[in-house]
Amino acid sequence: YQRRVRAFFFIFTLIMDLDPSTKTSSPSTTEAPTPVPSDPSIPSTPSTPSTSSAQPSANGQTKENLTESDKKNKGVKKKVALLVVYRGSEYRGLQKNPPYKTIEGELENAIYLAGGISEDNHSDLAKVSWQRTARTDKGVHAIGQIIGLKMVVDDGVLERINQNLPNDIRVLGIKRTTQSFNAKNHCEARTYNFVLPSYLFAPKDAYKPNLASSAAAPPSDSSTTSTPTTTEASSSTTTTSSSDGGAPFRLSIEQQQKLRELLSQYVGTKNYHNFTAKMDPKDPASYRRIMSFDFSGPFEYEGLEFIELEIKGQSFMLHQIRKMTGLIVGILRFGVEPAAEVIRGSFTTNHLNLPKVPGHGLILRQCHFPNYQQRFPEHPDVHFLDVQEKAVEFKKEYIHSYIMKTEKEQNLSWAWVTEKFDPFEATYRETFQKAIEFSNQPLPVQKRRDEASQKVYD
């Protein structure tokens, strides 16, 4: 009976669509739309201006110095991709979340004031088909965030958007895409960097900071560029020292090799329910594919040695990278063996409480769209290779310098070690021992045909 009713309504709707007598004609008094350029990479021309007043930005500031036509441009919207870079330290994450200050809140309002979003669509991201490739958390940075939306574009819109953004958020490029482009679902992989002091990956007694010299150092401008230098394991020219007060700590070649071996244990498709919050191991979303996990460095900043992890995966869950790193920190800091079995045991269906390192050094490095580019080669490259030098420069000036200066002056990682990690050493050792016991159990198998068919989660 239900099938017959649905079939009846379907036929009725089809007849109504085909019957010209059921359609109401609209007066022919509207202006013709702005012609669409034949080349999809060339922006459209601006349309007839409107006469509305400026709106306050997401942080309460009113943006000036724009004409009325710039502020309210109701031209033809085009589907585009934006390359957005930002330092996330002053924001409650990427996703718009009133009344908190977020990256998307600032970005949407800047596009509106630049004339890219009309007043009718302002404050409703769904109306402009807004998507993002990765939903970065509070304090996480990015130099490869891709935002997809429908907006009005012209020759000066990029400059006007950046005029209405704070210095720690920039839009480096705007490129036309297909109408079907989805920044989240078309992204096949994300690459993150994680800048951390190297002593986190050393035994517990290998390092102790000189807190007196750090506390005496005057505060500095976090936006000032300072170039780190590569260090050798035997270097000894800094004020940070080992536990015996001798030469400064440097991660040895053997310790670097051990770290690489442990990072490689994550490569492949595994069940990461223990690496996020409240995830059922039977949930298909708990399976994630890691393509590579390595690090670069070490390098030195004002006497403190850092390394930069680099992980590429299909998608990541909340806190996943921080917990993956925290588990390795625990293994190396407490000298737990056999180390590989601890990591393997964390992939079983048993629940484990794993440590989570601070996230102030986490950076979204790049988003990957290989199949989209191969399928639509006539469209501009949404990897934005033409502005990668600007992205790297932003990373050095606004992100790297901030992370290392904050670490040097405030000892954030050391505070986490002494306040939230070492005091619970017995608990974590017990957790790691359970993981070793669980490592003998068979790992859960993903109930899907192949990795390529996985749904993408950000």
Side-chain angles (χ1 to χ4, degrees), residues 127-139:
K127 289 184 178 180
V128 294
S129 303
W130 189 287
Q131 308 125 8
R132 80 283 295 175
T133 51
R135 195 169 50 241
T136 55
D137 303 330
K138 176 182 177 182

Side-chain angles (χ1 to χ4, degrees), residues 351-371:
H351 289 278
L352 297 171
N353 183 24
L354 302 179
K356 179 179 64 178
V357 298
H360 61 278
L362 192 57
I363 308 167
L364 175 61
R365 173 65 180 88
Q366 187 178 3
C367 297
H368 306 270
F369 304 84
N371 284 337

Side-chain angles (χ1 to χ4, degrees), residues 129-401:
S129 303
W130 189 287
Q131 308 125 8
R132 80 283 295 175
T133 51
R135 195 169 50 241
T136 55
D137 303 330
K138 176 182 177 182
V140 177
H141 324 287
I143 63 168
Q145 180 69 262
I146 304 296
I147 300 293
L149 77 156
K150 292 182 179 179
M151 61 174 284
V152 178
V153 290
D154 59 61
D155 290 335
V157 68
L158 177 60
E159 181 180 355
R160 296 197 302 272
I161 291 173
N162 285 320
Q163 288 174 351
N164 289 300
L165 286 172
N167 290 334
D168 54 4
I169 305 176
R170 295 284 109 183
V171 177
L172 298 186
I174 302 176
K175 294 192 176 182
R176 287 283 304 277
T177 67
T178 64
Q179 288 296 318
S180 62
F181 175 75
N182 188 297
K184 174 184 174 182
N185 294 336
H186 279 118
C187 181
E188 299 172 55
R190 289 104 173 143
T191 298
Y192 281 85
N193 293 148
F194 204 172
V195 180
L196 293 164
S198 62
Y199 65 75
L200 288 177
F201 304 95
K204 182 178 179 180
D205 299 328
Y207 170 83
K208 184 177 181 181
N210 188 344
L211 298 179
S213 63
S214 297
S220 58
D221 182 7
S222 61
S223 64
T224 304
T225 304
S226 181
T227 304
T229 57
T230 303
T231 63
E232 300 293 340
S234 60
S235 175
S236 59
T237 60
T238 69
T239 57
T240 52
S241 62
S242 60
S243 60
D244 58 3
F249 173 78
R250 292 292 179 263
L251 205 62
S252 68
I253 300 299
E254 293 75 14
Q255 291 168 334
Q256 294 179 36
Q257 182 61 33
K258 179 70 172 180
L259 173 59
R260 278 200 167 89
E261 292 175 358
L262 293 181
L263 293 176
S264 67
Q265 298 295 315
Y266 287 112
V267 176
T269 301
K270 306 178 189 299
N271 192 310
Y272 283 91
H273 73 98
N274 280 319
F275 295 81
T276 187
K278 300 179 181 179
M279 173 68 74
D280 188 335
K282 297 180 181 179
D283 189 337
S286 63
Y287 289 89
R288 300 293 157 136
R289 180 188 176 197
I290 305 301
M291 302 167 183
S292 63
F293 202 178
D294 204 345
F295 72 91
S296 60
F299 54 88
E300 177 189 323
Y301 176 83
E302 294 187 2
L304 184 61
E305 187 181 67
F306 290 84
I307 63 171
E308 185 167 25
L309 304 180
E310 180 166 297
I311 179 171
K312 180 180 179 181
Q314 186 179 37
S315 57
F316 298 93
M317 297 180 288
L318 178 67
H319 303 323
Q320 179 182 339
I321 298 176
R322 295 170 62 186
K323 287 202 168 193
M324 293 169 69
T325 307
L327 178 56
I328 291 183
V329 169
I331 292 173
L332 295 176
R333 185 166 180 81
F334 299 147
V336 181
E337 293 291 348
E341 277 71 7
V342 178
I343 298 178
R344 188 181 190 280
S346 67
F347 297 136
T348 64
T349 57
N350 303 280
H351 289 278
L352 297 171
N353 183 24
L354 302 179
K356 179 179 64 178
V357 298
H360 61 278
L362 192 57
I363 308 167
L364 175 61
R365 173 65 180 88
Q366 187 178 3
C367 297
H368 306 270
F369 304 84
N371 284 337
Y372 171 82
Q373 290 299 157
Q374 185 176 5
R375 184 178 178 185
F376 302 104
E378 70 279 6
H379 280 267
D381 181 16
V382 293
H383 293 104
F384 291 88
L385 299 179
D386 55 328
V387 293
Q388 282 304 302
E389 290 185 4
K390 293 182 179 179
V392 173
E393 186 62 32
F394 183 91
K395 179 183 179 182
K396 292 179 180 179
E397 181 176 356
Y398 285 95
I399 300 178
H400 259 186
S401 61

